Amino acid sequence: MNSVQPIETILDKMMETVGQSKIDIFEIGEDSRTEYESLKRELVDIQKNVIHMIEKSEKTELHSRFARNRLAEVSKHFSNYSDVEVKEAYEQANDFQVQLAVHQQEEKQLRERRNHIERRLMKLGETMERADHLINQINVVINYLTGDLQQVSEMVADAEEMQQFGLKIIHAQEEERKKLSREIHDGPAQSMANVMLRSEIVERVLDNEGIEQARIEIRDLRVMVKDSLSEVRRIIYDLRPMTLDDLGLLPTLAKYLRNVEQRTGISITFKTMGKEQRFPTHMEVAIFRFIQEAVQNACKHADPTNIVVKLEMKAERITMVIKDDGKGFDIITKKEGSFGLIGMKERVHMLEGKLNIDSKPNVGTLIIVQIPLAIV
């Protein structure tokens, strides 16, 4: 029982840290959600005010036109009017011109505030999604840490049980990804279509400011809708690429790497060797997630020009090679707590594989993984 005591102490400290992190993330999500709802209400008010201001500008423009015509008439037949009438005609025309300028400035400020709020809402939506995703992951960790201590000790002592437990965690994570994928698809992706309601304002701009200004509004609107939908679909694909179930590992990897290449501009070469075949679901998921993690780490941290991904399938093992020409890092001083490295090592360990990383500053990084097929 003495060997269990240190584990229990470590678990208590980890639980305290993880629990506090969950509270912090929850507060971030709630603060973002509160600001999101407040900005949504403000956006509705601003949209109404924009329409109201356009109507006021129309009326003021009409009055200003009449006042200018009146002033022109008085100026043309100056001798037929008294000094008071001339003064009144001039002051009225000037007042309406000033009012029109004020209305146009207010309308411009409202539009700028509206655009700022729309961009902020998109950022807050992303923050809330990330916070919810992190909380779900922390819940998995908490469930793991609060499990039966004896069971944890046995898993530490028994490599096979530890492996199966890890695979169950991956399976649970993938099920949660499926659920989130459906929810995001039915929620944010559909709600972005509501942005098209802004076209009502575009119509008014067309009537009042001309076709060129309306075209500018329409182009901005289309770009916003296109970018939003693309981002939502990218999130859906990252959560759970459906082609992994339908087509298998290689087509899914090829599509994913093409998408990364198009999105980042980094040249990515994908090579396969050996006979293409289907593997158990948990293995295909683990391999896909490993390559995804390695490529994302390279794109995010290494600033590479080229990335090469190789997948060799033999009867006894699968070999993965991910190489980039980025800035690399010093393996000796690289912190072991790096979440990217931990995630990759864990996935390889669960499949009883071997992981080798070779990297040097300003040289690039080479990752080689070998997964035995005997456990399939």
Side-chain angles (χ1 to χ4, degrees):
M1 204 57 190
N2 293 333
S3 61
V4 176
Q5 188 61 38
I7 297 177
E8 187 174 6
T9 302
I10 293 173
L11 288 176
D12 289 339
K13 292 181 179 179
M14 292 178 64
M15 282 296 300
E16 181 180 353
T17 302
V18 172
Q20 184 59 48
S21 298
K22 180 180 178 181
I23 293 174
D24 294 341
I25 295 172
F26 179 80
E27 290 177 351
I28 292 173
E30 288 303 301
D31 290 344
S32 299
R33 189 168 285 103
T34 299
E35 184 180 357
Y36 185 90
E37 294 301 325
S38 175
L39 288 177
K40 278 182 63 178
R41 292 191 294 269
E42 183 180 352
L43 181 60
V44 172
D45 292 337
I46 287 178
Q47 289 173 335
K48 293 179 181 178
N49 290 337
V50 169
I51 295 175
H52 178 65
M53 191 56 62
I54 291 175
E55 294 174 348
K56 288 180 66 176
S57 296
E58 291 175 350
K59 293 179 181 178
T60 304
E61 172 65 26
L62 183 61
H63 289 309
S64 178
R65 190 179 302 117
F66 284 133
R68 291 197 302 270
N69 292 338
R70 169 67 175 168
L71 180 60
E73 176 65 22
V74 170
S75 299
K76 183 176 181 180
H77 303 286
F78 183 82
S79 59
N80 295 336
Y81 297 89
S82 65
D83 292 340
V84 174
E85 291 175 322
V86 172
K87 181 179 179 182
E88 289 178 350
Y90 175 82
E91 290 178 347
Q92 189 177 49
N94 184 66
D95 288 343
F96 281 121
Q97 193 65 29
V98 171
Q99 291 180 30
L100 181 60
V102 171
H103 293 336
Q104 290 175 341
Q105 181 62 27
E106 291 178 352
E107 181 184 340
K108 179 181 178 182
Q109 292 175 350
L110 286 171
R111 290 181 186 275
E112 291 174 349
R113 177 59 179 168
R114 178 197 64 193
N115 294 338
H116 172 74
I117 290 177
E118 289 173 343
R119 291 191 295 269
R120 181 61 180 159
L121 285 173
M122 290 180 61
K123 293 295 183 182
L124 287 172
E126 294 174 356
T127 300
M128 290 186 296
E129 291 174 3
R130 291 170 183 168
D132 291 340
H133 181 61
L134 287 173
I135 288 177
N136 289 336
Q137 289 183 322
I138 288 178
N139 285 335
V140 172
V141 174
I142 290 176
N143 290 335
Y144 176 86
L145 296 179
T146 55
D148 182 75
L149 184 59
Q150 182 63 34
Q151 183 182 12
V152 174
S153 300
E154 291 175 355
M155 283 189 291
V156 172
D158 192 327
E160 181 178 358
E161 287 187 16
M162 183 178 180
Q163 172 196 325
Q164 293 301 321
F165 185 77
L167 294 176
K168 288 180 180 178
I169 291 179
I170 289 183
H171 178 71
Q173 288 176 334
E174 294 304 319
E175 289 299 318
E176 185 64 18
R177 288 177 187 270
K178 287 183 181 179
K179 178 182 176 182
L180 288 174
S181 177
R182 289 192 297 268
E183 291 177 352
I184 293 175
H185 181 271
D186 296 335
Q190 295 297 327
S191 66
M192 292 310 303
N194 293 332
V195 178
M196 296 305 294
L197 294 176
R198 184 174 163 186
S199 60
E200 296 180 3
I201 298 178
V202 175
E203 293 178 354
R204 293 186 176 273
V205 171
L206 176 63
D207 294 336
N208 295 279
E209 300 185 22
I211 191 170
E212 290 302 322
Q213 186 63 33
R215 283 176 176 170
I216 294 175
E217 286 279 340
I218 291 173
R219 284 196 294 268
D220 292 342
L221 181 60
R222 285 177 176 171
V223 170
M224 183 176 64
V225 173
K226 182 180 179 181
D227 291 345
S228 299
L229 290 177
S230 297
E231 179 64 15
V232 171
R233 287 168 180 156
R234 185 190 66 78
I235 293 173
I236 293 173
Y237 185 83
D238 287 344
L239 287 172
R240 177 70 183 190
M242 299 304 175
T243 53
L244 196 59
D245 298 321
D246 300 332
L247 302 180
L249 179 63
L250 296 186
T252 302
L253 278 174
K255 181 179 179 180
Y256 167 74
L257 294 175
R258 284 197 304 270
N259 290 340
V260 174
E261 185 176 45
Q262 293 172 1
R263 187 171 69 250
T264 63
I266 299 172
S267 176
I268 300 179
T269 302
F270 181 44
K271 299 180 180 179
T272 62
M273 290 169 281
K275 183 179 179 181
E276 181 178 351
Q277 55 183 303
R278 294 302 302 265
F279 302 101
T281 301
H282 71 271
M283 175 170 282
E284 291 189 339
V285 168
I287 294 173
F288 176 82
R289 293 301 181 195
F290 179 88
I291 294 178
Q292 183 184 44
E293 185 85 32
V295 172
Q296 286 180 347
N297 285 343
C299 294
K300 184 177 181 181
H301 303 293
D303 192 24
T305 303
N306 299 283
I307 298 176
V308 176
V309 178
K310 296 181 181 179
L311 193 63
E312 181 181 10
M313 293 165 289
K314 292 185 177 181
E316 68 280 5
R317 68 176 178 271
I318 297 176
T319 302
M320 291 175 277
V321 178
I322 301 94
K323 181 180 180 181
D324 67 73
D325 60 355
K327 55 188 180 182
F329 59 90
D330 188 341
I331 297 179
I332 297 177
T333 60
K334 180 70 173 177
K335 55 186 178 182
E336 288 297 321
S338 171
F339 287 117
L341 290 180
I342 290 176
M344 289 191 291
K345 288 179 179 178
E346 185 66 17
R347 293 185 188 279
V348 174
H349 176 72
M350 290 176 182
L351 296 176
E352 295 187 353
K354 295 181 180 180
L355 170 64
N356 292 303
I357 301 177
D358 184 16
S359 183
K360 295 180 180 179
N362 303 319
V363 174
T365 301
L366 173 64
I367 301 174
I368 300 177
V369 178
Q370 291 182 327
I371 304 295
L373 295 180
I375 67 171
V376 178

